[in-house]
Amino acid sequence: LEPVYIEQNLTLETSPTKAFAAWTMGINEWWAPRTASGSQIRLEPFVNGRFYEAFGEDDQGVLYATITYIKPNEALHLRGTPELIELIDRSCLADNYMRIVLESRNNSTQLCFSHHIACGANEAAQVAFDSHWRVLLEQHFKPFVEKGVPYQHNP
């Protein structure tokens, strides 16, 4: 079994500023899946800021990651919790790291995304991780950042 390393690139018809805002301030509008119905996804855009899902009353929720590096409109690095991995595949709970890098290219933005998962995963789990991020970035994030179309969560 090998560690999982996902790397995906996506061209966005928007500015790095708008793409960064969608990752930070607008993440609730496009992020899926969710642990709880009616929850809110939040990202605190500063070092040690939390990326988490809040639900219920009395501060219930789940922490998905913390920010380890942030450079507005250019880069965001997060250290994930096992709970983030569990959303995708329950067989591989381990330390994980995500990097989002935004580069301006003429009138568009190149998003370079990587996710490194330390556990050893079988081929089916690796395919599931890659597919999860491809759907999330291409079908949820891209329509939101380019056209303002939020992802429609199941009730």
Side-chain angles (χ1 to χ4, degrees), residues 123-153:
E123 188 175 337
Q126 292 192 30
V127 168
F129 286 120
D130 189 67
S131 175
H132 168 79
W133 285 114
R134 192 161 310 286
V135 167
L136 193 61
L137 294 172
E138 293 177 4
Q139 296 177 21
H140 299 213
F141 180 74
K142 186 175 174 76
F144 176 72
V145 75
E146 290 182 345
K147 299 175 183 157
V149 177
Y151 176 71
Q152 297 300 314
H153 299 281

Side-chain angles (χ1 to χ4, degrees), residues 9-30:
N9 297 305
L10 187 64
T11 300
L12 303 166
E13 300 304 319
T14 193
S15 68
T17 301
K18 198 170 173 186
F20 189 82
W23 265 102
T24 55
M25 307 311 288
I27 198 163
N28 186 60
E29 300 300 318
W30 60 270

Side-chain angles (χ1 to χ4, degrees), residues 5-125:
Y5 189 74
I6 306 296
E7 189 170 293
Q8 297 180 8
N9 297 305
L10 187 64
T11 300
L12 303 166
E13 300 304 319
T14 193
S15 68
T17 301
K18 198 170 173 186
F20 189 82
W23 265 102
T24 55
M25 307 311 288
I27 198 163
N28 186 60
E29 300 300 318
W30 60 270
W31 182 268
R34 309 247 174 161
T35 300
S37 178
S39 66
Q40 295 288 310
I41 301 296
R42 298 181 180 144
L43 190 141
E44 301 166 336
F46 49 83
V47 171
N48 278 331
R50 299 171 297 166
F51 168 40
Y52 66 103
E53 182 175 354
F55 50 83
E57 297 177 21
D58 303 321
D59 296 323
Q60 294 179 40
V62 59
L63 179 66
Y64 292 129
T66 55
I67 295 176
T68 60
Y69 177 88
I70 185 167
K71 189 169 184 184
N73 310 323
E74 292 182 26
L76 185 62
H77 299 181
L78 300 109
R79 182 167 192 248
T81 66
E83 285 77 13
L84 178 65
I85 300 304
E86 189 173 351
L87 284 175
I88 306 166
D89 185 282
R90 288 189 158 94
S91 69
C92 178
L93 303 179
D95 285 339
N96 63 99
Y97 304 90
M98 291 173 289
R99 290 184 179 203
I100 297 103
V101 176
L102 303 167
E103 298 176 4
S104 182
R105 299 246 175 111
N106 299 321
N107 293 327
S108 64
T109 298
Q110 182 71 27
L111 180 142
C112 302
F113 173 85
S114 64
H115 191 181
H116 180 260
I117 304 162
C119 72
N122 62 31
E123 188 175 337

